[in-house]
Structure formats: C-alpha cells, structure tokens
Amino acid sequence: QVRMVESGGGLVQAGGSLRLSCAASGRTFSNPAIGWFRQAPGKEREFVAAITWSAGNAYYADSVKGRFTISRDAAKDTAYLQMNSLQPEDTADYYCAVGWINIATLQPQVWGQGTLVTVSS
C-alpha cells in the first residue's frame, strides 16, 4: 500500500518562494509518476505539475510554467515542488499524488494529506 507524506507548506509574501516535499513509501511500478494538484477555496482541484520516476519527464500546468519546478529523488522515493514568484492566486491546499501520466497530466491513484500554501499580497 502506497503512503504519501507531504511537508513544506506555509505562509509567504507575494514574490516569495516555498518548496514542497512528498515522500512516497510502498511505491510500485503501477504508479510510475508523482505530482501535485491544488485546490483553492470554492474551486475545483486542479493539476499543477508531475514528473515520471524513471526518466524525470516533467509536466506543468500553464499557470505555473516558468515559476514552479518539479524534481524527484528516485532513490528516496521523494518528489519536490520548488515554487518561485508566488502570487496570491497560488493560495491553495496542495495535494501530492502518485499515478501515471496521461495527456500531459497526472492520473492520480493515491493522494497525500495535503499542505496549505498561503500567499499574502
């Protein structure tokens, strides 16, 4: 059974940076990718970024391209989301997930518990 543990959320001013981490234990070949989704109050959950464990192919939502960078340490089963130039509209609960890539987005199979990112103006 896959278990996801997230860390790194918090409060930051606009223009600042945060780094999220997600450690996946019990990863199997049925979950070849890992990534993040986010959900702002009153909005639907949306894809943010994903990366494949083996090749490191990365995929991003248009809204975060050029500002966010996803990376992974396959030996540690851990992924990272470096978020730069944060804006108030990036405020959301961020959820890590493992799954597979389909049409440049992540099809999630297992979710993490979520971590709150708040960007003040």
Side-chain angles (χ1 to χ4, degrees):
Q1 184 176 355
V2 178
R3 182 170 176 263
M4 319 286 292
V5 178
E6 299 182 58
S7 60
L11 173 65
V12 65
Q13 289 188 332
S17 299
L18 282 175
R19 189 176 84 152
L20 305 182
S21 300
C22 180
S25 61
R27 176 172 66 90
T28 71
F29 289 112
S30 62
N31 296 293
I34 185 168
W36 271 270
F37 289 74
R38 66 186 182 186
Q39 188 167 19
K43 295 188 177 181
E44 293 187 354
R45 192 171 296 190
E46 64 176 2
F47 170 73
V48 175
I51 190 167
T52 57
W53 286 112
S54 57
N57 296 322
Y59 304 85
Y60 297 95
D62 288 342
S63 58
V64 306
K65 281 181 182 177
R67 300 188 300 124
F68 291 11
T69 302
I70 191 169
S71 60
R72 91 279 186 245
D73 184 336
K76 296 181 178 179
D77 286 348
T78 300
Y80 307 94
L81 185 68
Q82 178 66 41
M83 304 184 294
N84 298 329
S85 301
L86 284 162
Q87 299 301 316
E89 53 265 34
D90 295 313
T91 295
D93 287 304
Y94 282 70
Y95 295 91
C96 178
V98 290
W100 62 82
I101 300 297
N102 183 36
I103 314 177
T105 187
L106 182 69
Q107 298 299 311
Q109 297 301 297
V110 182
W111 294 96
Q113 81 279 8
T115 187
L116 178 63
V117 171
T118 303
V119 185
S120 62
S121 57

